[in-house]
Amino acid sequence: MSSLFPTYKRKHIELQKGSGTIVFDQNNKRYLDFTSGIAVTSLGHCHPEVVKALKEQSERIWHTSNLFEIQQQELLAETLVNQTNLDAAFFCNSGAEANEAAIKLAKKFTKRNKIITFKNSFHGRTFGSMSATGQQKIKEGYGPLLSEFIHLPWNDRQQLKNTVDSDTAAIMMEVIQGEGGVKVADPSFYKEVQEMCKQHDILLIIDEVQTGIGRTGKRYAYEHFDLDPDIVTLAKGLGNGFPIGAMLGKSKLKEAFGPGSHGTTFGGNPLACAVSQTVLNIIFSDNFLSEVKRKGIDFINRLVDSLMKLPFVNEIRGEGLLIGIECDQAAELIKALEENGLLTVPAGEKVIRLLPPLTVTDEELETALRIINEAFNNIYTKAI
């Protein structure tokens, strides 16, 4: 009997070693990892430059607490806000913590109560971030949550216009809903969100925990839609597997987050910052991001060409290397892909999510496409 709480429905697989996109389990079975730890290991497993950064920092100093100056934080913050309309960073340990900070900051700065989020969104599992999340299944059994969150239908401009009022502190959204099914809204919806924020002096919070740090072919996914966020939250790919989160914000918000207003023991320690700085040095390169975009467009097009002719495939969508295949037998197909050496992850009941490392090679994408085609066609053959 395990001494762990049964919080997770785990696969009977233990990944014991990996390099790049390739991982091996306890039986030495080889897989292509198109989960990336759920959009985390964007540079693949055991990237040599990231390993080097961690080793070198571990021999200097690990942790000092935020009672002291940490130069690595200053450098990392500057890298994150460079060439954006954002000005400052707060470092923490996870996406949920980053979203908690964003919620607190928005309410404290505006002195308003209501935050608008969207159905099928996912923002975390703490009480604040869970209250913001638009999925009832993760809230069941916890009793009353924070009451001032309004969950609107995704991509519904009229309901948004009808709901905004003088007590609205912020609109909080993922520009591409990850856990909710890799859903992109119509460009007019993003424009409406931005206009509502400007018109009513509402803060725009963009949750980039899954979509940020190059996942969609740009540094941040909001850049695809010409949005001007006041707050951006990050984690996952920010540390390539080393725990780190961040909240970025405009300079006007600094006054609301003075000494004693918020804090963290471990957030932004020298180990985390050294790793993250190395990750950004690689990913925040125009050539690197262009390659992510190219590979994503090519892979999505090839998936469309080969799968959309099958009657149980409804849609293939995404941006960069965040890709969703909506189909009727998602759970069965995920299992079949796994058996044939390709690890994927669901996004809801009917979407297979593909999240390869951003360093995935064209040859690995070709292998993945072959495995996907075989699995999907086998399901189709059985059905006829």
Side-chain angles (χ1 to χ4, degrees):
M1 180 180 292
S2 174
S3 297
L4 297 170
F5 277 105
T7 316
Y8 307 101
K9 187 177 180 180
R10 298 181 191 270
K11 299 176 182 291
H12 296 296
I13 295 174
E14 182 183 355
L15 301 179
Q16 295 189 334
K17 59 181 178 179
S19 178
T21 311
I22 307 302
V23 291
F24 296 86
D25 70 10
Q26 70 271 30
N27 300 312
N28 209 36
K29 181 176 177 178
R30 183 180 187 271
Y31 301 89
L32 279 173
D33 182 7
F34 273 39
T35 73
S36 298
I38 315 182
V40 169
T41 53
S42 295
L43 294 178
H45 297 275
C46 300
H47 189 285
E49 291 184 47
V50 179
V51 171
K52 180 183 177 185
L54 181 60
K55 284 182 176 179
E56 289 180 352
Q57 185 60 49
S58 72
E59 293 172 353
R60 296 192 188 104
I61 193 164
W62 291 26
H63 177 79
T64 64
S65 92
N66 285 292
L67 298 176
F68 297 91
E69 296 284 346
I70 300 175
Q71 185 60 29
Q72 292 98 329
Q73 283 190 15
E74 296 283 353
L75 295 172
L76 184 59
E78 186 176 334
T79 303
L80 286 167
V81 304
N82 188 35
Q83 298 178 19
T84 73
N85 290 330
L86 304 161
D87 302 288
F90 170 83
F91 292 109
C92 50
N93 306 288
S94 69
E97 287 186 37
N99 284 331
E100 286 284 337
I103 292 164
K104 287 178 66 175
L105 177 56
K107 297 185 82 167
K108 193 167 187 288
F109 176 79
T110 64
K111 297 179 174 58
R112 301 176 185 174
N113 297 309
K114 188 165 72 178
I115 295 178
I116 295 172
T117 66
F118 297 94
K119 293 180 180 179
N120 294 316
S121 62
F122 183 83
H123 299 291
R125 293 181 182 272
T126 57
F127 254 72
S129 60
M130 186 166 59
S131 299
T133 293
Q135 297 186 42
Q136 188 59 34
K137 64 183 180 182
I138 77 159
K139 306 179 184 184
E140 292 172 357
Y142 292 104
L145 299 180
L146 301 183
S147 61
E148 299 296 339
F149 286 90
I150 309 296
H151 305 101
L152 299 182
W154 181 237
N155 205 25
D156 189 325
R157 294 166 57 196
Q158 192 58 50
Q159 285 224 39
L160 177 64
K161 290 176 73 173
N162 293 343
T163 305
V164 167
D165 61 22
S166 60
D167 195 36
T168 304
I171 298 173
M172 182 177 189
M173 69 177 184
E174 307 157 275
V175 291
I176 302 173
Q177 291 188 334
E179 299 290 330
V182 192
K183 293 179 180 176
V184 186
D186 186 271
S188 63
F189 178 73
Y190 300 115
K191 184 178 180 181
E192 189 71 54
V193 169
Q194 189 71 73
E195 287 179 357
M196 287 294 98
C197 288
K198 298 291 186 185
Q199 183 179 338
H200 297 278
D201 201 20
I202 294 167
L203 297 180
L204 175 57
I205 304 172
I206 295 185
D207 180 339
E208 293 264 12
V209 170
Q210 185 164 160
T211 56
I213 316 300
R215 174 54 58 183
T216 67
K218 291 186 179 288
R219 293 171 306 164
Y220 309 116
Y222 77 80
E223 295 175 331
H224 291 283
F225 307 105
D226 295 323
L227 291 167
D228 180 22
D230 298 284
I231 299 173
V232 170
T233 58
L234 302 166
K236 289 189 180 288
L238 184 58
N240 207 61
F242 197 98
I244 184 172
M247 179 194 69
L248 312 181
K250 291 185 174 179
S251 60
K252 66 182 180 182
L253 303 173
K254 284 186 176 183
E255 65 187 64
F257 250 25
S261 58
H262 194 51
T264 168
T265 297
F266 298 107
N269 70 37
L271 277 176
C273 289
V275 170
S276 185
Q277 186 67 59
T278 303
V279 169
L280 298 187
N281 289 346
I282 297 169
I283 293 179
F284 281 10
S285 147
D286 290 341
N287 289 338
F288 187 97
L289 292 171
S290 294
E291 275 294 283
V292 173
K293 183 178 180 180
R294 178 192 67 79
K295 286 183 283 192
I297 291 171
D298 180 65
F299 194 53
I300 290 172
N301 287 340
R302 296 186 70 186
L303 288 168
V304 169
D305 289 343
S306 58
L307 299 183
M308 285 306 297
K309 60 190 176 185
L310 300 173
F312 57 86
V313 178
N314 304 316
E315 188 178 9
I316 297 168
R317 54 184 180 258
E319 193 73 57
L321 291 172
L322 169 58
I323 301 167
I325 305 173
E326 184 177 316
C327 53
D328 296 334
Q329 288 97 346
E332 184 180 356
L333 283 160
I334 287 171
K335 182 65 176 173
L337 295 172
E338 177 187 302
E339 290 171 353
N340 287 282
L342 178 65
L343 298 177
T344 61
V345 64
E349 294 182 0
K350 291 192 173 184
V351 177
I352 301 169
R353 200 172 4 160
L354 305 176
L355 295 163
L358 305 183
T359 53
V360 65
T361 66
D362 289 316
E363 292 76 18
E364 289 166 340
L365 288 168
E366 184 72 34
T367 301
L369 187 66
R370 175 181 56 78
I371 294 171
I372 290 168
N373 281 326
E374 288 177 0
F376 275 67
N377 282 293
N378 284 341
I379 294 290
Y380 177 64
T381 302
K382 290 177 184 177
I384 58 176

